[in-house]
């Protein structure tokens, strides 16, 4: 029930969709492939399912070589972004499809369909046609249909992409629940970092056909391995500078201790808005900024700060702190950065 | 709508008047002329052995044309809509060729190929195979002129449907055959039926191409439209219109089925 991908490559003409990708998905895990559109994540998923063939590389499903196996023999469950339900079949017929084409016994099929209808909480809708269902219901039928033949692995291609925000949140929660219940090894593709960070055990961040980083949500958020991951996952600020003395980056009156760079290297310093510390008094802080905008963000207040040289950064501070300090537009404040990551550009 | 009642009625009247003059009056004329000498003359004309022979030949040619177009049209549409291959645009243009070419030219092509003076004429004569001025020529010409109907109807339909459902089917373990019968065919059945109805109507009514290859041998190589022409040229108006009324009735039935199919496919 595991997935092993080794040195996978795929080109469409001159466009490199998948570039020497290798990874391992553990049995029973819920793994996300996160990346912007065009990063090759869907192609990768389609190659694993067999809908697309790789130019080179290997795929092993449950330890067995599947690289040259035909799609229908791979026994994977695949859920499409736009559901791809069979329009002329009822919900029950849709779910039974994978069992019927395998010529399973009729009684067994009927029981399995009932079991799945129960699992996806669509009991009583078995005689409906897809056109009579809401988007969320359609996606649940698609899931049930994919799970019916007991696939080795479940592959989801932007499963919530076509749904509106509220239904998406519900389904997201529900799918983690479903995963705990069925324990099917699941790999899903998404461009929505919240989706990936929230529900996946492990995340593969993809960019331009390559995997930039693999790890847990916490790893990726707190220890981005590349400059792409730093700016793609979560909100971030950056400033670009170079060494002013060995192991020290200077930008205005900001100073960052770094190592591993040469004099003259262009270095980008990334720091998250919640790692910006703001105070009305200098304390030990050297850097001044002017508040150009304040925005209400629920429990947090977002400040846009002008730090000179046409550079604006955002800071997120708890609402209580902001109110107590009385931050207003136009006011001068002092700031410090509590955590950052640096990458050579 | 903001147009005044007057404008609306005016437009409606113009449309109805036009329809009445150009469609309803001729149609009504066919039936009144067919029946003006009474039911007996009408039945006599229909029961005439030559008429029967024409009906049989027309039905035979149409059935074969419909079957061939069913197979070819589905195969071509499936290939064009679901796969990418070199020469796809050329194939699409070729499918349209029979629409672009005059039916008379379509018929002539076969005469030039299979006629006595034609490319394969001498060989066919040697082996005693008759195509021109015989049934095979009529079937060929009919099939040729109806070539585009099924494919043209299905290509946009299949393209709009995309390949996602087929992909879903194969991932679920269906083989090519199962995918076609259980997913693709049900999705295109109304479009296919529509294309076949149009094919049939055109096949039964075809005049030009068939006229060139038929040779107009009474009781042997005459189809209904050719038979109507012969009767008309012989000033046998009652019989001509009686036989023509069969084609007119076919047109009405086709219209009815077509409307039903359109209504069904929208559901």
């Amino acid at each position: 029930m595991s997935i092993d991908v080794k040195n996978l490559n795929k080109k469409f003409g001159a466009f490199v969709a998948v570039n020497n990708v290798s990874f391992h998905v553990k049995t029973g895990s819920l793994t996300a492939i996160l990346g912007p559109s065009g990063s090759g994540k869907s192609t990768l998923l389609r190659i694993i399912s067999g809908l697309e063939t790789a130019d080179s590389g290997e795929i092993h499903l449950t330890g067995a070589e599947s690289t040259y196996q035909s799609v229908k023999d791979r026994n994977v469950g695949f859920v499409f972004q736009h559901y791809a339900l069979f329009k002329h079949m009822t919900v029950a017929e849709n779910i039974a499809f994978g069992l019927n084409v395998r010529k399973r016994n009729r009684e067994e099929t009927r029981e399995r369909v009932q079991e799945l209808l129960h699992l996806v909480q669509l009991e009583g809708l078995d005689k409906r046609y897809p056109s009579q269902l809401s988007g969320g219901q359609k996606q649940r039928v698609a899931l049930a249909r994919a799970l019916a033949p007991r696939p080795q692995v479940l592959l989801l291609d932007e499963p919530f992409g076509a749904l509106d925000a509220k239904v998406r949140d519900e389904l997201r929660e529900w799918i983690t629940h479903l995963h705990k219940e069925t324990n099917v090894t699941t790999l899903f593709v998404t461009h929505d970092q919240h989706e990936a960070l929230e529900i996946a055990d492990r995340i593969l961040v993809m960019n331009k056909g390559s995997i930039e980083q693999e790890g847990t949500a916490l790893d990726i958020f707190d220890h981005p391995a590349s400059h792409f991951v730093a700016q793609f996952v979560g909100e971030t600020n950056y400033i670009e500078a170079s060494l002013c003395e060995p192991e020290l980056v200077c930008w205005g009156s900001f100073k960052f201790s770094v190592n591993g760079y040469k004099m003259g290297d262009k270095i980008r310093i990334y720091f998250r808005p919640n790692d910006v510390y703001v105070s009305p008094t200098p304390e030990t802080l050297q850097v001044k900024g002017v508040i150009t905008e304040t925005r209400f963000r629920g429990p947090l207040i977002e400040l846009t700060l002008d730090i000179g040289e046409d550079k604006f950064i955002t800071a997120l501070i708890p609402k209580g702190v902001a109110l107590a300090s009385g931050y207003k537009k136009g006011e001068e404040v002092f700031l410090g950065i509590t955590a950052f990551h640096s990458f050579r550009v | 709508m903001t147009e005044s009642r007057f404008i609306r009625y005016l437009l409606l009247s113009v449309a109805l008047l036009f329809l009445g003059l150009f469609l309803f009056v001729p149609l009504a004329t066919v039936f009144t002329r067919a029946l003006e000498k009474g039911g007996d003359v009408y039945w006599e004309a229909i029961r005439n052995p030559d008429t029967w022979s024409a009906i049989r030949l027309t039905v035979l040619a149409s059935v074969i044309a419909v079957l061939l177009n069913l197979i070819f049209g589905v195969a071509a549409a499936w290939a064009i809509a679901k796969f990418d291959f070199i020469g796809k645009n050329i194939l699409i243009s070729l499918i349209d060729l029979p629409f672009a070419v005059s039916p008379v030219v379509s018929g002539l092509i076969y005469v030039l190929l299979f006629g006595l003076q034609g490319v394969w004429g001498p060989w066919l004569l040697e082996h005693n195979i008759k195509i021109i001025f015989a049934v095979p020529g009529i079937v060929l010409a009919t099939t040729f002129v109806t070539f585009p109907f099924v494919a043209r109807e299905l290509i946009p339909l299949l393209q709009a449907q995309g390949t996602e459902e087929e992909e879903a089917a194969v991932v679920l373990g269906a083989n090519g055959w199962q995918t076609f019968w259980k997913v693709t065919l049900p999705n295109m059945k109304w479009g296919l039926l529509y294309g076949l109805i149009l094919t049939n109507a055109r096949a039964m009514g075809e005049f030009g191409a068939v006229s060139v290859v038929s040779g107009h041998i009474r009781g042997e190589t005459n189809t209904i439209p050719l038979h109507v022409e012969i009767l008309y040229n012989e000033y046998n108006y009652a019989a001509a219109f009686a036989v023509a009324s069969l084609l007119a009735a076919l047109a009405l039935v086709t219209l009815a089925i077509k409307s039903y199919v359109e209504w069904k496919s929208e559901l």
Side-chain angles (χ1 to χ4, degrees), chain B residues 3-258:
Chain B
E3 275 78 12
S4 72
R5 188 175 287 249
F6 172 73
I7 299 280
R8 268 187 284 157
Y9 282 123
L10 184 71
L11 284 172
L12 194 64
S13 320
V14 170
L16 283 178
L17 192 72
F18 183 83
L19 266 175
L21 266 177
F22 285 87
L23 288 172
F24 185 72
V25 171
L27 194 62
T29 310
V30 171
F31 286 102
T32 45
R33 290 294 296 269
L35 290 162
E36 73 186 351
K37 299 246 171 88
D40 291 344
V41 179
Y42 184 85
W43 284 121
E44 212 42 58
I46 304 278
R47 271 173 27 205
N48 178 292
D50 289 347
T51 308
W52 259 119
S53 151
I55 292 172
R56 277 203 309 273
L57 182 57
T58 303
V59 171
L60 176 74
S62 301
V63 166
I64 295 174
V66 165
L67 283 178
L68 287 177
N69 277 307
L70 171 68
I71 297 163
F72 166 78
V74 170
W78 166 270
I80 286 168
K82 310 267 172 179
F83 305 104
D84 277 316
F85 53 89
I86 299 162
K88 188 159 149 173
N89 286 327
I90 297 172
L91 181 60
I92 296 175
S93 309
L94 279 178
I95 289 173
D96 278 341
L97 186 70
F99 275 175
V101 163
S102 156
V104 177
V105 177
S106 311
L108 264 175
I109 295 168
Y110 289 102
V111 175
L112 292 174
L113 283 177
F114 304 119
L116 268 182
Q117 269 75 44
V119 184
W120 296 314
W123 186 87
L124 291 169
L125 187 69
E126 243 171 67
H127 294 80
N128 206 18
I129 302 168
K130 274 201 76 148
I131 290 183
I132 299 304
F133 304 147
V135 177
I138 291 167
V139 171
L140 277 175
T142 308
T143 308
F144 182 83
V145 295
T146 52
F147 220 51
F149 283 105
V150 174
R152 268 284 146 196
E153 193 59 45
L154 289 183
I155 290 168
L157 181 75
L158 292 183
Q159 274 172 342
Q161 284 172 352
T163 50
E164 261 205 345
E165 284 189 41
E166 278 82 7
E167 286 185 343
V170 283
V171 178
L172 285 164
N175 58 35
W177 202 237
Q178 287 170 321
T179 306
F180 179 76
W181 285 105
K182 286 171 188 272
V183 177
T184 308
L185 193 63
N187 273 336
M188 68 182 187
K189 71 178 170 200
W190 294 114
L192 180 60
L193 197 54
Y194 189 83
L196 290 178
I197 291 164
L198 292 181
T199 304
N200 185 56
R202 177 71 196 265
M204 289 197 167
E206 176 54 29
F207 182 83
V210 170
S211 174
V212 177
V213 296
S214 139
H216 305 264
I217 308 164
R218 263 189 199 221
E220 274 183 44
T221 64
N222 263 352
T223 60
I224 299 177
L226 300 183
H227 193 56
V228 172
E229 193 209 17
I230 289 177
L231 291 172
Y232 184 81
N233 286 343
E234 290 170 348
Y235 307 106
N236 194 349
Y237 295 136
F241 278 104
V243 180
S245 75
L246 293 177
L247 284 176
L250 170 79
L252 293 177
V253 172
T254 303
L255 266 180
I257 301 174
K258 183 173 153 292

Side-chain angles (χ1 to χ4, degrees), chain A residues 46 49 51 71-72 75-78 80-89 94 97-103 145-146 149, chain B residues 160-176 178-189 267:
Chain A
R46 289 170 63 85
S49 73
L51 287 171
V71 198
K72 73 179 181 64
N75 194 19
V76 297
F78 200 102
F80 296 82
Q81 180 177 359
H82 299 287
Y83 329 119
L85 293 179
F86 305 126
K87 291 185 281 293
H88 60 284
M89 295 184 200
N94 263 284
F97 187 89
L99 304 166
N100 288 336
V101 294
R102 288 181 172 84
K103 307 260 187 306
R145 182 178 70 177
Chain B
Q161 284 172 352
T163 50
E164 261 205 345
E165 284 189 41
E166 278 82 7
E167 286 185 343
V170 283
V171 178
L172 285 164
N175 58 35
Q178 287 170 321
T179 306
F180 179 76
W181 285 105
K182 286 171 188 272
V183 177
T184 308
L185 193 63
N187 273 336
M188 68 182 187
K189 71 178 170 200
L267 287 185

Side-chain angles (χ1 to χ4, degrees), chain A residues 232-275:
Chain A
F232 183 69
V233 181
E235 294 170 64
T236 194
N237 295 296
Y238 74 86
I239 48 185
E240 216 170 272
S242 48
L243 296 179
C244 51
E245 48 189 273
E247 311 207 327
L248 199 66
V249 171
C250 308
W251 189 95
S253 26
F254 281 111
K255 298 219 175 351
F256 303 93
S257 304
V258 294
N259 50 49
Y261 298 106
K262 291 194 302 287
M263 279 303 213
D265 279 352
K266 246 192 186 175
I267 301 162
R268 258 192 200 179
I269 306 284
Y270 287 92
F271 50 96
R272 302 211 180 275
N274 52 303
D275 290 331

Side-chain angles (χ1 to χ4, degrees), chain A residues 109-336:
Chain A
T109 302
R110 236 196 37 201
E111 270 168 33
R112 182 77 180 138
V113 169
Q114 285 310 318
E115 197 181 316
L116 280 153
L117 280 168
H118 175 74
L119 185 71
V120 300
Q121 299 157 7
L122 289 174
E123 289 126 315
L125 297 185
D126 51 337
K127 294 205 175 58
R128 295 267 187 99
Y129 283 90
S131 59
Q132 298 166 308
L133 303 175
S134 71
Q137 288 172 330
K138 282 184 203 169
Q139 199 55 296
R140 281 190 279 166
V141 175
L143 262 164
R145 182 178 70 177
L147 287 170
R150 300 182 199 278
Q152 310 188 64
V153 296
L154 185 60
L155 307 172
L156 314 172
D157 188 6
E158 297 271 7
F160 316 122
L163 300 167
D164 58 58
K166 196 167 178 310
V167 182
R168 192 152 51 196
D169 287 345
E170 274 171 29
L171 265 186
R172 204 187 283 173
E173 205 160 298
W174 175 81
I175 210 159
T176 20
H177 194 73
L178 183 80
H179 179 252
K180 280 201 192 89
E181 223 165 299
T182 58
N183 220 23
V184 180
T185 310
T186 305
L187 183 59
F188 77 100
V189 152
T190 180
H191 65 271
D192 181 344
Q193 47 173 302
H194 299 293
E195 210 163 277
L197 294 171
E198 210 174 290
I199 67 176
D201 311 331
R202 282 188 85 70
I203 300 171
L204 304 165
V205 183
M206 256 190 113
N207 182 38
K208 293 184 182 159
S210 305
I211 291 182
E212 297 257 346
Q213 188 171 5
E214 184 182 346
T216 63
L218 216 60
D219 288 340
I220 282 163
F221 199 81
D222 285 344
H223 306 288
S226 72
H227 125 91
F228 170 79
V229 177
Q231 51 95 23
F232 183 69
V233 181
E235 294 170 64
T236 194
N237 295 296
Y238 74 86
I239 48 185
E240 216 170 272
S242 48
L243 296 179
C244 51
E245 48 189 273
E247 311 207 327
L248 199 66
V249 171
C250 308
W251 189 95
S253 26
F254 281 111
K255 298 219 175 351
F256 303 93
S257 304
V258 294
N259 50 49
Y261 298 106
K262 291 194 302 287
M263 279 303 213
D265 279 352
K266 246 192 186 175
I267 301 162
R268 258 192 200 179
I269 306 284
Y270 287 92
F271 50 96
R272 302 211 180 275
N274 52 303
D275 290 331
V276 180
Y277 178 75
V278 183
S279 163
T281 53
E283 301 177 31
T284 54
L285 308 169
Q286 307 289 313
V287 185
K288 276 192 219 164
V290 177
I291 300 173
T292 58
E293 213 173 321
T294 64
R295 275 165 67 200
F296 179 65
R297 297 253 313 244
L300 298 169
I301 297 282
E302 182 187 302
L303 303 177
T304 305
L305 302 160
D306 180 352
I307 55 169
E309 293 187 33
D310 280 334
K311 186 78 197 169
F312 296 86
I313 62 170
T314 58
L316 277 175
I317 53 176
K319 194 167 70 182
V321 176
L323 290 177
S325 310
Y327 293 134
K328 277 193 299 285
K329 207 169 149 176
E331 204 170 304
E332 192 168 81
V333 291
F334 297 87
L335 49 126

Side-chain angles (χ1 to χ4, degrees), chain A residues 31-42:
Chain A
T31 303
I33 302 177
L34 173 66
S37 55
S39 59
K41 54 192 194 310
S42 285

